[in-house]
Amino acid sequence: MIEILSSSSLVTVQDLGRFGALGLGVSHSGAMDRLALMAGQILLEQSDQLAGIEIPIFPFKIKFHQPCRFVLTGADHQARLGDEMVWPWMVAEAGTGQVLTIERAESARWPASRVYLCVAGGIDVPLALGSRSTQLRGQFGGFCGRILQKGDQLPIGISTAMAKTVLKVGVVPPALSMPRLREGVVLIRVMRAAEYEAFTQASREALWASPWKITSQSDRYGYRLSGPTISPEHPLELRSHGIVPGVIQVPHGGQPIIQMRDAQPSGGYPKIATVIEADLWRLGQAPIGSSVYFVEVTWQEAVEALDEIESWLEEVRRMIALARFDSNGDVPS
Amino acid sequence: MTRAQMEEIALQLAGTDIARLDLSGPEGQWLIVNEAGQTRISFVSAQDRVTVKAPRAGLLLTTHPLRSTPLVRSGDSVKKGQVIALLQAGSLLQSIIAPCAGTVLSMPVPEGALVGYGTALFELQAETSGR
């Protein structure tokens, strides 16, 4: 069991998300940076379907009430276990009673906003509609359907890995091994959406040419962007229809909104583009106040981008298995 | 070499612009540091000297990929079990752990160099030294 010691806001239990319930009006939820969460679970030699804790606000402090192997992935940060330094993206081990403190990074080579705490055995909250992710709007899933509070005691699942020696390994964060930047600004790949042609030519050109700032009115529901005004040729009125994370809507003000993991499953604003699934993790880490560029890709390129993510994960799984093999001393000399 | 001999050398060095004298022998390593005429003599017995070797092949990282400052520097004191470097193989990072508490004497391999199994990565002075 782990206990939350800090009164930080917006910290939630997340797994990869709740799928198949959009028709019931239930959004996906799940980690904003699913790659960081998956890498954390793989590093702990366990299923990538287990839940971890998403931490967007610092400092964050917990106490371990049992021996526990853990890893902190996602954004860079300064973490200490007792008075010992804990390195990002590297497996560490806590003893009973030890306190883990996570603070903001002093300077970040990779500007990112969310840290993921993964523990051996996973955060063992009950499944709700097939997922452990927190559904904030519906107030279910995760821990009591809400953001974590000081004093919360979270159960940890039984870990088979604890029987083995700890592998003190880590991985190079994917933002460093698969960087996508233009002039130092994060490049997000998107596909044209249904109403793309309904916007003026100047608006369409501005979509590709301008950097888009992520405003302070951005959260797990959606990112509100600021940049040139995007206008339709004629006023557009649509009935509410299904939308998914990644969809870029343009409301009447002409400033786009990107739907994120907690987005409601329907909306009526016209859609100019959609962020491809393979870049949602990258966007999910982009800090408020930073900017992104959009670059157009085809369906085929979007599918290939997903393949690249899958091969990165596969490579990490293979390397961890190899490190375990090495540590067992089974390698023929 | 005796301490008396080293003190005599230190006296000679004090008047020169030689900043550092490093004398290694089978019994250990003498080091004289000369800072503007102020000399310091130190000795590390060979018994207290611990070599940390690469447990496998990889690229030696003395700095975490997300950071710009090294995990440890020459002269730093380290705790037993502390991560002092990383060995990168593909996307995998393997920790190089201090086998004992002590001081980092030298790091002979430069950042980013490819090392093989058994390459000496660090020389540490173990803290158990009675001096």
Side-chain angles (χ1 to χ4, degrees), chain A residues 180-182 184-190 206-215 223-228 248 258 275 279 282-287 289-295:
Chain A
R180 296 199 70 82
L181 299 168
R182 183 200 288 166
V185 175
V186 173
L187 202 53
I188 298 293
R189 291 169 288 189
V190 305
L207 178 71
W208 309 122
S210 170
W212 292 92
K213 191 176 168 185
I214 298 165
T215 69
Y223 281 9
R224 281 181 181 270
L225 306 180
S226 130
I248 308 174
I258 313 179
V275 176
D279 276 354
R282 210 182 286 276
L283 185 63
Q285 282 289 11
S290 72
S291 293
V292 297
Y293 275 118
F294 294 122
V295 62

Side-chain angles (χ1 to χ4, degrees), chain A residues 31-102:
Chain A
M32 291 280 273
D33 178 355
R34 70 202 306 268
L35 215 42
L37 182 66
M38 290 177 90
Q41 309 295 16
I42 294 170
L43 275 168
L44 294 170
E45 303 172 83
Q46 60 192 10
S47 162
D48 56 23
Q49 303 295 311
L50 293 177
I53 300 179
E54 182 177 277
I55 309 153
I57 308 270
F58 309 96
F60 180 69
K61 205 183 211 184
I62 60 161
K63 186 175 191 174
F64 291 95
H65 286 281
Q66 67 185 74
C68 184
R69 212 165 284 178
F70 69 96
V71 61
L72 295 165
T73 60
D76 192 14
H77 53 266
Q78 296 283 332
R80 295 198 160 268
L81 182 66
D83 58 358
E84 275 173 37
M85 184 95 94
V86 178
W87 293 94
W89 295 78
M90 305 279 305
V91 175
E93 200 167 27
T96 304
Q98 279 200 295
V99 171
L100 174 69
T101 311
I102 308 168

Side-chain angles (χ1 to χ4, degrees), chain A residues 45 69 93 161-168 323-324 327-328:
Chain A
E45 303 172 83
R69 212 165 284 178
E93 200 167 27
M162 287 301 269
K164 307 179 198 164
T165 54
V166 61
L167 273 187
K168 295 233 169 168
R324 170 57 70 194
S327 79
N328 290 342

